[in-house]
Amino acid sequence: MKRTIHCAMALLLLGTCSASMSTVLAQQLTERPSSAKAYVYWTNSIDGTIGRATTAGGGAKEGFIKSGFPGGAGLTVDKKYIYWTGANGGTATDIARATLKGTAVNLSFITGAQNPCGVAVDKSYIYWAGDVGSAIGRAKLDGSGVNQNFITTGTGVCGVAVSKKYVYWANYQLGEIGRAKLDGSGANNNFIAGSGSGIAIERKYIYFTASSGTGIGRANIDGTGVNVNFITGLNGQIAFLAADKNYVYWADWGNRGSGTTIGRANIDGSGVNQSLVSGTNGGFGIAVTGGNP
């Protein structure tokens, strides 16, 4: 069957086929490297830049995007863009966007939010939480149709994540994770207890910051099986999380900006590496190619 496929491709590309040509083509297809690279991105809270490195920690560039918000907070990516927020302790109002190449930076992509903290996207919408406000906001991916009061949450909400069915948020004041349906209905502000400010989802699990930012908790996607000690003993203060199918990532914020590293662990909590990337400038928000939030 495989030779039939490879021979058909040889006929299409070369106009002829033999056993040897089919074998060579199969080897070339197998050995051809992927053109798409996976990256981890982070906000640097001290100078407002966006950093980037490969998911293996290589090629780190602190000033990947140099124009940003001092105190920049939450961060997410989709197939085309990077989105990040400008939380600065209370007065920020804007959400920014740039291409994955770091170009076309728009620091006022969405305005009027109440100290926007966490941010997440799905195929249709962008969602954000304002920790001095009392709601989750939502807009279309092009920035239109802004609704600053999409889901009522109360104050203290920072991290936000989205799945195929639900929107989730982390309330650091209450230590609770909330959940609502994608249309904003059925809000439950006490879905999971024991969280901090950050949250990420990967398939059947929810990951959240815990232990005053020195640990990571995990629960089943339905809210059961809560383990607030899934990963413990982390350096500094962890404010946000990101996850892909293989790993969970975090930025060490330290003592309000003194942190200098990006950490990573296997998705099952093993293999903790607190220095995947070194030299960050108060890393805060974090995102990963093809991951969540």
Side-chain angles (χ1 to χ4, degrees):
M1 179 65 178
K2 290 182 178 179
R3 183 184 181 279
T4 300
I5 294 172
H6 296 142
C7 193
M9 293 181 69
L11 284 168
L12 179 63
L13 295 171
L14 305 174
T16 185
C17 180
S18 65
S20 60
M21 291 172 65
S22 176
T23 300
V24 170
L25 181 58
Q27 290 174 344
Q28 290 177 341
L29 290 171
T30 301
E31 295 170 359
R32 183 177 296 169
S34 171
S35 60
K37 286 187 177 181
Y39 294 100
V40 57
Y41 304 82
W42 60 92
T43 55
N44 285 303
S45 62
I46 298 300
D47 58 13
T49 59
I50 304 293
R52 189 187 78 169
T54 68
T55 51
K61 187 175 182 180
E62 282 301 307
F64 176 63
I65 298 177
K66 295 181 179 180
S67 179
F69 304 109
L75 179 72
T76 192
V77 296
D78 61 15
K79 293 180 179 180
K80 293 183 178 181
Y81 297 105
I82 306 166
Y83 308 83
W84 69 102
T85 67
N88 61 3
T91 62
T93 59
D94 297 341
I95 297 168
R97 189 185 77 170
T99 69
L100 290 180
K101 293 181 179 180
T103 60
V105 176
N106 182 354
L107 297 182
S108 301
F109 177 61
I110 294 173
T111 62
Q114 293 182 291
N115 202 49
C117 195
V119 61
V121 292
D122 61 16
K123 63 181 181 180
S124 300
Y125 297 100
I126 178 172
Y127 307 81
W128 61 91
D131 66 349
V132 300
S134 58
I136 300 292
R138 189 186 78 167
K140 295 179 181 179
L141 283 181
D142 64 0
S144 66
V146 175
N147 181 353
Q148 299 285 2
N149 299 292
F150 179 57
I151 301 170
T152 300
T153 60
T155 60
V157 173
C158 195
V160 61
V162 60
S163 70
K164 292 181 179 180
K165 294 183 178 181
Y166 297 99
V167 181
Y168 303 81
W169 58 91
N171 189 315
Y172 63 84
Q173 289 182 354
L174 299 178
E176 301 276 353
I177 293 172
R179 188 186 78 168
K181 294 180 181 178
L182 284 182
D183 64 2
S185 66
N188 177 359
N189 282 308
N190 308 109
F191 180 60
I192 295 174
S195 77
S197 58
I199 183 172
I201 297 170
E202 175 53 33
R203 287 176 288 188
K204 60 182 180 179
Y205 294 111
I206 303 171
Y207 300 84
F208 52 92
T209 58
S211 303
S212 299
T214 62
I216 297 171
R218 190 182 78 170
N220 297 324
I221 197 71
D222 64 0
T224 63
V226 178
N227 178 4
V228 297
N229 297 309
F230 179 64
I231 297 174
T232 60
L234 301 181
N235 298 330
Q237 184 176 352
I238 311 305
F240 287 95
L241 300 174
D244 61 18
K245 64 181 181 180
N246 296 314
Y247 302 103
V248 57
Y249 304 81
W250 60 90
D252 174 9
W253 191 37
N255 183 13
R256 302 192 69 80
S258 64
T260 60
T261 59
I262 302 297
R264 188 186 77 176
N266 295 326
I267 203 69
D268 64 1
S270 65
V272 174
N273 178 358
Q274 298 204 60
S275 300
L276 177 72
V277 177
S278 298
T280 62
N281 198 7
F284 201 49
I286 193 159
V288 62
T289 303
N292 184 279

